[in-house]
């Protein structure tokens, strides 16, 4: 599938975004190992999170769909999961694969995991190595570092203190989950704190967890009990609309009910530094997560320097931040973001190549991007490389480019943001984003 984009005359209105991807995965997975029933509303029905539901079903949890985004997960408890009779396909979802590995490390049976072309290229050693040290057995390609992988757990696992070389919530979560079956406290220290949805939600499920700076410790022994989880709107999806609503002409938009967890909301800070009039209102707390309505309108942006420790707070938003930087005055530098090279695509390369084709003055650095703002973007045919966040960032670039932009390979948008095209069109004065076969 391809998407044709033209610049709208106006972009205005109030919209919602689908549920948060990270929180949805966790609600399904934690529900599956909890005792009793977890009720989830606002669950993201994108392919990644649907893959997590399929996986927990295969492992013995009972999942019932009550309506759009509304699920009941009857958990198997900490000792009730069973050996799946099929290979579990995690699709495009690194979160499904890595978080599951943490759970599987504590299960006394074999489970085999695979994924799509992109996921089979992504590094798994970062979870496999510490899980193996805890006592799990992992076999697979490249000495157990790429999917397909087979995991056989052990019980109890050995308690470890792990110093993660990367700030990764997936690594942190995998180890904390494995810690539920360990013979003592499991500690993870990160160079910079990554998103803390796991810490918040596991506590809500009754786990014993303490946080000290960038170190998190899980002490096993507590049974998990699922509360009701109301998943907030995904700030990573809202990011595309907020940048569009800032760089497009005649724009004024609001996105309601968005999760604004400070470990995730780096894009809002970056946009504010750049001069975007981002407003927050109706602050509330849902499922232990701060939520707010967000507004913005057309503004002239200035450049910014974005590096560690901000990067983990906006790691998934770098492609769309790069689009904002193309429209800003001056030179924006994004550094300390080498992790982008091992996401669904090499996002440094893919966004630099595609925005360059639209006329942006953007160059790759080994760990980031240099973007000379103020370029006039001109419509062209550009590739998403099968990466949902690149596809949507390019659609937003198309909204401010002259003429017509064709974004190729856009089915991937459904992994995280079903309804993206419809929402952009709902904000526009006339349909400006069109799906082509
Ligand atoms: C995620 C963590 C991040 C992020 C991904 C979702 C999560 O990955 O990029 O989209 O839900 O824990 P890393 O942990 O690899 O940085």
């Amino acid at each position: 599938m391809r998407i044709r984009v033209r610049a709208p005359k106006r972009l205005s209105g109030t919209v919602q975004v689908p549920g948060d991807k990270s929180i949805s995965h966790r609600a399904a997975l934690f529900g599956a190992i909890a005792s009793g029933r977890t009720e989830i509303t606002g669950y993201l029905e994108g392919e990644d999170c649907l893959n997590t539901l399929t996986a927990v079903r295969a492992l013995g949890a009972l999942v019932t769909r009550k309506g759009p985004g509304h699920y009941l997960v009857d958990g198997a408890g900490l000792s009730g999961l069973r050996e799946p009779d099929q290979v579990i396909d995690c699709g495009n979802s690194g979160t499904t694969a890595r978080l599951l590995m943490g759970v599987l490390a504590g299960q006394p049976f074999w489970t085999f995991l695979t994924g799509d072309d992109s996921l089979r290229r992504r590094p798994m050693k970062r979870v496999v190595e510490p899980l193996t040290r805890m006592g799990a057995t992992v076999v697979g390609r490249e000495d157990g570092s790429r999917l397909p992988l087979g995991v056989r757990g052990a019980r109890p696992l050995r308690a470890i203190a792990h110093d993660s070389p990367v700030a990764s919530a997936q690594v942190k979560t995998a180890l904390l989950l494995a810690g539920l079956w360990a013979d003592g406290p499991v500690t993870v220290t990160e160079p910079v704190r990554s998103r803390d949805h796991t810490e918040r939600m596991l506590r809500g499920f009754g786990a014993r967890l303490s946080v000290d700076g960038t170190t998190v410790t899980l002490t096993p022994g507590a049974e998990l009990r699922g509360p009701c989880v109301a998943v907030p709107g995904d700030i990573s999806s809202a990011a595309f609309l907020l940048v569009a609503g800032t760089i497009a002409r005649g724009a004024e938009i609001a996105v309601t009910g968005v999760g604004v967890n400070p470990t995730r909301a780096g894009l809002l800070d970056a946009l504010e530094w750049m001069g975007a009039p981002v407003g927050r209102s109706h602050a509330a707390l849902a499922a232990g997560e701060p939520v707010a309505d967000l507004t913005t309108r057309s503004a002239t942006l200035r450049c910014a320097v974005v590096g560690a420790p901000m990067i983990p707070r906006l790691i998934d938003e770098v492609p769309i931040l790069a689009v904002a930087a193309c429209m800003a005055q001056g030179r924006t530098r994004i550094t300390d973001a080498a992790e982008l090279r091992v996401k669904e695509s090499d996002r440094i390369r893919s966004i630099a190549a595609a925005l360059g084709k639209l006329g942006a003055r953007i160059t790759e650095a080994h760990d980031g991007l240099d973007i000379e703002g103020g370029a006039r973007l001109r419509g062209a045919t550009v590739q998403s490389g099968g990466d949902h966040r690149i596809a949507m960032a390019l659609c937003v670039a198309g909204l401010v480019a002259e003429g017509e932009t064709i974004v190729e390979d856009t089915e991937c948008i459904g992994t995280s943001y079903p309804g993206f095209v419809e929402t952009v069109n709902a904000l526009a004065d006339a349909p400006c984003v069109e799906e082509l076969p």
Side-chain angles (χ1 to χ4, degrees):
M1 210 166 65
R2 306 180 307 152
I3 291 181
R4 177 166 54 207
V5 193
R6 297 193 190 87
K9 285 204 179 63
R10 236 186 18 255
L11 216 48
S12 66
T14 299
V15 289
Q16 281 187 319
V17 286
D20 186 278
K21 182 156 82 71
S22 292
I23 297 175
S24 295
H25 282 300
R26 285 160 173 77
L29 200 52
F30 301 177
I33 54 172
S35 304
R37 176 169 283 182
T38 300
E39 180 163 10
I40 313 172
T41 55
Y43 192 85
L44 171 61
E45 294 183 308
E47 276 148 40
D48 278 11
C49 295
L50 294 177
N51 282 330
T52 294
L53 288 180
T54 307
V56 300
R57 275 194 183 111
L59 285 159
L62 186 67
V63 180
T64 314
R65 185 175 189 270
K66 300 293 285 178
H70 186 185
Y71 288 87
L72 303 178
V73 180
D74 287 298
L78 287 174
S79 43
L81 295 181
R82 55 153 207 256
E83 183 173 288
D85 54 14
Q86 280 276 15
V87 174
I88 293 180
D89 187 352
C90 304
N92 192 242
S93 177
T95 312
T96 307
R98 295 194 179 117
L99 269 51
L100 260 185
M101 277 194 250
V103 169
L104 297 175
Q107 310 311 312
F109 50 74
W110 278 102
T111 304
F112 292 87
L113 303 178
T114 191
D116 69 7
D117 291 353
S118 152
L119 190 56
R120 291 198 314 276
R121 281 194 295 269
R122 295 180 66 187
M124 296 295 152
K125 200 84 195 172
R126 51 182 62 193
V127 249
V128 170
E129 186 277 318
L131 291 177
T132 309
R133 255 195 296 134
M134 289 177 79
T137 305
V138 182
V139 292
R141 288 172 55 226
E142 297 185 26
D143 206 13
S145 61
R146 310 249 181 230
L147 294 174
L149 289 172
V151 184
R152 195 195 194 283
R155 217 181 264 173
L157 291 165
R158 277 186 290 279
I160 60 165
H162 181 64
D163 249 316
S164 176
V166 284
S168 163
Q170 293 178 358
V171 173
K172 174 173 67 181
T173 306
L175 300 186
L176 295 176
L177 287 172
L180 293 167
W181 292 278
D183 57 8
V186 166
T187 294
V188 185
T189 301
E190 302 181 278
V192 177
R193 188 146 196 223
S194 63
R195 61 191 67 190
D196 68 353
H197 304 304
T198 294
E199 293 88 311
R200 289 170 187 258
M201 199 187 290
L202 268 183
R203 272 204 187 113
F205 273 69
R208 278 190 284 161
L209 212 124
S210 64
V211 179
D212 178 11
T214 60
T215 297
V216 186
T217 302
L218 180 128
T219 304
E223 190 187 38
L224 302 187
R225 287 227 157 254
C228 287
V229 181
V231 181
D234 196 326
I235 191 164
S236 297
S237 299
F240 299 104
L241 308 177
L242 293 169
V243 169
T246 307
I247 62 176
R249 283 175 297 154
E252 177 146 24
I253 68 154
V255 191
T256 56
V258 183
V260 288
N261 178 324
T263 62
R264 280 288 295 286
L267 179 84
L268 302 183
D269 296 344
L271 284 177
E272 277 166 6
W273 296 343
M274 294 171 85
V278 177
R280 304 184 194 206
S281 60
H282 298 101
L285 207 64
E289 295 278 344
V291 178
D293 295 347
L294 302 173
T295 54
T296 189
R297 63 189 138 72
S298 309
T300 304
L301 296 181
R302 40 179 191 274
C303 56
V305 177
V306 182
M310 177 61 124
I311 293 296
R313 300 181 54 225
L314 50 62
I315 187 73
D316 292 337
E317 286 66 73
V318 172
I320 189 63
L321 181 63
V323 174
C326 289
M327 307 308 290
Q329 292 169 341
R331 184 180 185 157
T332 292
R333 296 202 60 214
I334 298 170
T335 63
D336 308 309
E339 270 297 290
L340 290 173
R341 295 207 180 268
V342 290
K343 294 291 179 188
E344 285 82 330
S345 68
D346 174 344
R347 287 186 172 157
I348 295 179
R349 176 152 301 170
S350 16
I351 198 70
L355 289 178
K357 208 166 167 203
L358 293 175
R361 289 169 294 190
I362 178 167
T363 50
E364 274 186 52
H366 73 283
D367 67 345
L369 294 159
D370 275 8
I371 304 153
E372 195 63 64
R376 286 242 307 261
L377 300 187
R378 290 175 307 275
T381 297
V382 285
Q383 314 292 330
S384 76
D387 183 329
H388 53 130
R389 302 211 192 276
I390 301 293
M392 289 184 274
L394 294 175
C395 287
V396 172
L399 295 176
V400 293
E402 278 170 24
E404 196 173 277
T405 299
I406 304 282
V407 184
E408 295 204 309
D409 208 355
T410 51
E411 292 85 354
C412 53
I413 290 174
T415 62
S416 68
Y417 194 166
F420 169 74
V421 166
E422 292 76 7
T423 302
V424 174
N425 282 332
L427 288 169
D429 54 306
C432 58
V433 186
E434 189 188 348
E435 285 180 326
L436 308 172

